[in-house]
Amino acid sequence: MNDAARPDLAHAEDLMSFLAASPSPYHAVANAAARLEKAGFQQLAETDAWDSGTGGRYVLRGGALIAWYVPEGATAATPFRITGAHTDSPNLRVKPNPDTGSQGWRQVAVEIYGGTLLNTWLDRDLGLSGRLSLKDGTTRLVKVDRALLRVPQLAVHLDRQANEGLKLDRQRHMTPIWGLGDVHEGDLIRFLGEEADIPAGEIIGWDLMAHSVEAPSFLGRDREFIAGPRMDNLLSVHSGTTALTTIAEGPDEPPYIPVLAAFDHEENGSQSDTGAQGPLLGSVLERSVFARGGSLEDRARAYAGTVCFSSDTGHAVHPNYAERHEPGHHPLPNGGPILKVNVNQRYSTDGRGRALFAAACERAGVPWQNFVSNNDVPCGTTIGPITAARHGITTVDIGVAILSMHSARELCGVNDPALLTGCLSAFMGS
């Protein structure tokens, strides 16, 4: 296939750059914010009074970001068009007392975050990233993007049953090594302080996690796939950011107020001040209404006309495990975004939502696919039902079909990120 004939290739490469630069939720929102700033968006502090001006605005809180664009002519009751996503991914996170070791090895104590596929973290070169909290109340990002840690697997000679069914103890078997010698309290934080050019005594707290240092890459005979980390769900964050900046920089003003809501902590239930179950989105939307002179009545009217596309990855049919999928619904990579349905409200899509999604894809000239789980293999959930129930707004669950979800390295079709961005651009901008 001729790369020159593939307009999606630049988008795919931009996604891979975003994935590589965003090993933690804090890096992800910082990188998204930099893109928004380039498109003319201005950061607002939650502690400041907000003005009624038009244009792009965004709020950062920890690993979450809410961004919106107020077009010319918007009123206090103008509805929102929201793309919802999340910034976190399953991984290994550093414990409060990180320095540990055994048998002459120096190790780092970690806690399992989210529904991690543990075996994918074995024998993989890992870096460390996240944020450091300082005495003066500020935070600093840190990223050690080189082979620093490794979770070594037991040799098959010492476990002859390993290929009959690997069992990993989360406490004993998932502790990475990073050196030899005696364990000294404070070593890891001193090291990270040196990496970030911060005196160790200034570091009071940390939110740190391991990440694979292997770069995202094209895969396949014709490079029809992308392999890389954290597609669940930075792929949607990237698409939402790209769609929002495209709308803001476009020649036409949208009829709605487009919003990107990128939450943290989806992988462990969204129950935090930066998660979808927290008040952040509702607070930002309300303040946006009130800043334009609106009342509670205007807020109710705006919410009544608001729609959210909850964008998260879903399962492409696996060629080696086709029986785990619903027989009549086999999404494939490069088939376009998927509409996710579950009548038990693990996804929030209903018939009206299907119509809204189909219309957005039609306006964008984008193909799409249906996704529903096998009745014997219950599906997970997303921020969609939480958003619908908490804010009382119409919500539709969509996404991109991938393989190896929750692995340290996932796979999607090379065309699908651009197709999702096209759908979101049409949804939020027209």
Side-chain angles (χ1 to χ4, degrees):
M1 186 180 296
N2 184 356
D3 287 347
R6 294 171 59 166
D8 51 47
L9 200 60
H11 190 285
E13 289 173 337
D14 189 59
L15 168 62
M16 291 193 290
S17 295
F18 185 78
L19 294 173
S22 306
S24 77
Y26 315 108
H27 289 84
V29 297
N31 290 321
R35 291 167 180 243
L36 292 166
E37 292 269 359
K38 188 176 180 180
F41 283 68
Q42 299 177 351
Q43 183 176 2
L44 298 181
E46 293 185 77
T47 53
D48 290 345
W50 293 2
D51 62 43
S52 59
T54 58
R57 306 285 190 273
Y58 72 93
V59 168
L60 287 179
R61 185 193 290 182
L65 176 148
I66 310 292
W68 66 102
Y69 179 81
V70 181
E72 296 285 347
T75 70
T78 297
F80 302 94
R81 287 292 182 267
I82 305 168
T83 292
H86 66 88
T87 61
D88 60 320
S89 301
N91 57 18
L92 310 179
R93 303 217 170 181
V94 176
K95 289 182 176 179
N97 297 324
D99 298 293
T100 188
S102 177
Q103 309 302 315
W105 292 91
R106 297 167 67 195
Q107 296 174 274
V108 176
V110 295
E111 189 172 4
I112 310 302
Y113 179 85
T116 310
L117 273 173
L118 296 178
N119 65 297
T120 67
W121 290 84
L122 302 178
D123 297 335
R124 189 179 293 273
D125 295 339
L126 305 175
L128 273 180
S129 61
R131 66 178 179 181
L132 303 172
S133 298
L134 309 185
K135 279 183 177 180
D136 62 5
T138 63
T139 60
R140 292 270 296 274
L141 296 183
V142 62
K143 180 170 73 169
V144 182
D145 203 25
R146 61 178 175 82
L148 179 69
L149 309 174
R150 184 181 177 93
V151 182
Q153 187 168 191
L154 185 64
V156 70
H157 311 81
L158 304 177
D159 181 9
R160 296 292 184 179
Q161 303 303 311
N163 290 323
E164 307 304 319
L166 180 64
K167 284 193 174 184
L168 294 170
D169 184 292
R170 290 168 173 253
Q171 180 65 27
R172 293 185 297 122
H173 299 156
M174 296 305 298
T175 306
I177 59 173
W178 77 306
L180 292 169
D182 296 333
V183 175
H184 299 287
E185 184 178 351
D187 268 0
L188 181 68
I189 300 307
R190 277 191 292 272
F191 165 76
L192 293 174
E194 292 170 0
E195 291 285 317
D197 196 24
I198 303 170
E202 295 296 310
I203 302 171
I204 302 301
W206 48 87
D207 301 279
L208 300 166
M209 57 208 71
H211 68 271
S212 171
V213 299
E214 184 180 3
S217 64
F218 292 110
L219 185 144
R221 187 193 67 177
D222 295 319
R223 302 207 299 174
E224 62 259 64
F225 308 114
I226 302 170
R230 299 177 293 281
M231 291 184 183
D232 180 11
N233 186 33
L234 293 188
L235 189 159
S236 294
V237 175
H238 175 266
S239 284
T241 303
T242 305
L244 184 58
T245 55
T246 299
I247 292 166
E249 295 176 320
D252 301 320
E253 293 284 67
Y256 306 101
I257 297 174
V259 179
L260 171 64
F263 299 104
D264 200 354
H265 300 132
E266 188 273 348
E267 296 293 358
N268 59 11
S270 297
Q271 291 183 321
S272 72
D273 69 322
T274 54
Q277 293 213 48
L280 181 58
L281 176 61
S283 173
V284 168
L285 298 184
E286 284 185 348
R287 293 185 67 177
S288 175
V289 169
F290 297 156
R292 296 194 301 279
S295 63
L296 288 174
E297 176 71 12
D298 292 314
R299 186 201 67 174
R301 291 172 59 199
Y303 278 31
T306 291
V307 180
C308 174
F309 276 11
S310 166
S311 182
D312 204 346
T313 55
H315 302 295
V317 61
H318 197 301
N320 299 336
Y321 300 91
E323 72 281 359
R324 302 293 182 95
H325 299 267
E326 206 287 317
H329 300 77
H330 281 180
L332 281 171
N334 295 325
I338 56 175
L339 179 70
K340 301 162 76 172
V341 176
N342 180 268
V343 295
N344 293 302
Q345 291 301 295
R346 302 294 284 172
Y347 305 133
S348 54
T349 306
D350 61 10
R352 179 169 176 259
R354 176 187 174 94
L356 291 166
F357 174 68
C361 289
E362 183 176 357
R363 290 195 300 274
V366 167
W368 59 278
Q369 309 174 83
N370 284 302
F371 172 81
V372 66
S373 290
N374 186 310
N375 285 322
D376 291 327
V377 187
C379 67
T381 189
T382 68
I383 64 166
I386 295 170
T387 304
R390 180 169 180 82
H391 306 292
I393 59 179
T394 299
T395 304
V396 188
D397 271 292
I398 69 166
V400 162
I402 70 171
L403 288 180
S404 306
M405 187 184 294
H406 287 197
S407 169
R409 195 168 177 87
E410 299 161 323
L411 180 143
C412 76
V414 71
N415 298 340
D416 285 328
L419 295 174
L420 175 64
T421 301
C423 167
L424 295 179
S425 297
F427 162 63
M428 293 194 292
S430 62

